[in-house]
Amino acid sequence: MAEFPAVNTSPLIFLTQANLLDFLQILSPKIIVPQAVATEIQAYGNTDVTAQMLVQTDWLVVTKTPTIPAVIQSWDLGVGESEVLSWGYHHPNTEVIIDDLGARCCAQALEIPVRGTLGLVLTAKQRGVISEARPVLEQLRLSRMYLSERLMNQVLMSVGE
């Protein structure tokens, strides 16, 4: 049985800044935030909206992760990405939520289920949580998430928009 999914720093920041943090609960009632990810976010200070949400949101569970296996260390990723991947590695069939391309490639190579912020929006559309993806993607862009026009159009076409 799969454990709760683990999330990395950038999806937390983008979703919080776009006021879409609850989208994570589409996947699970609780989301694991590895200690390294929490530390990265807390470094922004107490006035940072993501740091505040991390403290105020009881379904975001800050967790010490298992030791990072050598196979993940060899990818030379950031400590946050490595801890998220370590969670997925040690909990088979557990999804990780990461936007970083290198970390996503590592997850795919190790057969760890992976989804990014964009994939979360698509899931929301497919499950009927939102009626249109375009306004949500625009909201994420305003929160400084990079999304090229080409990719945005491809994604929107895939969900019939």
Side-chain angles (χ1 to χ4, degrees), residues 6-18 20-21 23-24 31 37 40-41 50 60 81 84 96-100 104 114-118 120 140 143 145:
V7 66
N8 194 33
T9 306
S10 63
L12 278 174
I13 290 171
F14 295 140
L15 292 167
T16 301
Q17 289 179 348
L20 299 168
L21 188 62
F23 271 38
L24 288 170
I31 302 293
V37 171
E40 286 177 18
I41 290 169
T50 308
L60 291 175
E81 287 90 354
V84 169
V96 296
I97 306 154
I98 297 176
D99 289 334
D100 178 81
R104 292 172 63 84
V114 63
R115 179 186 322 251
T117 305
L118 184 57
L120 195 56
L140 285 164
S143 72
M145 179 177 159

Side-chain angles (χ1 to χ4, degrees), residues 15 19-28 53 57 59 120:
L15 292 167
N19 201 26
L20 299 168
L21 188 62
D22 290 344
F23 271 38
L24 288 170
Q25 288 197 293
I26 294 167
L27 303 178
S28 175
M53 291 306 288
T57 308
W59 51 266
L120 195 56

Side-chain angles (χ1 to χ4, degrees), residues 122-138:
L122 295 178
T123 301
K125 166 77 178 195
Q126 291 162 344
R127 293 186 183 174
V129 175
I130 56 174
S131 58
E132 294 181 45
R134 181 178 295 279
V136 174
L137 295 177
E138 292 293 352

Side-chain angles (χ1 to χ4, degrees), residues 68-125:
I68 300 168
V71 68
I72 293 173
Q73 289 178 15
S74 70
W75 283 77
D76 197 29
L77 302 166
V79 66
E81 287 90 354
S82 295
E83 284 197 8
V84 169
L85 290 165
S86 181
W87 178 263
Y89 184 85
H90 287 287
H91 298 91
N93 301 315
T94 299
E95 190 169 41
V96 296
I97 306 154
I98 297 176
D99 289 334
D100 178 81
L101 181 60
R104 292 172 63 84
C105 290
C106 177
Q108 290 169 345
L110 298 176
E111 298 181 355
I112 298 169
V114 63
R115 179 186 322 251
T117 305
L118 184 57
L120 195 56
V121 174
L122 295 178
T123 301
K125 166 77 178 195

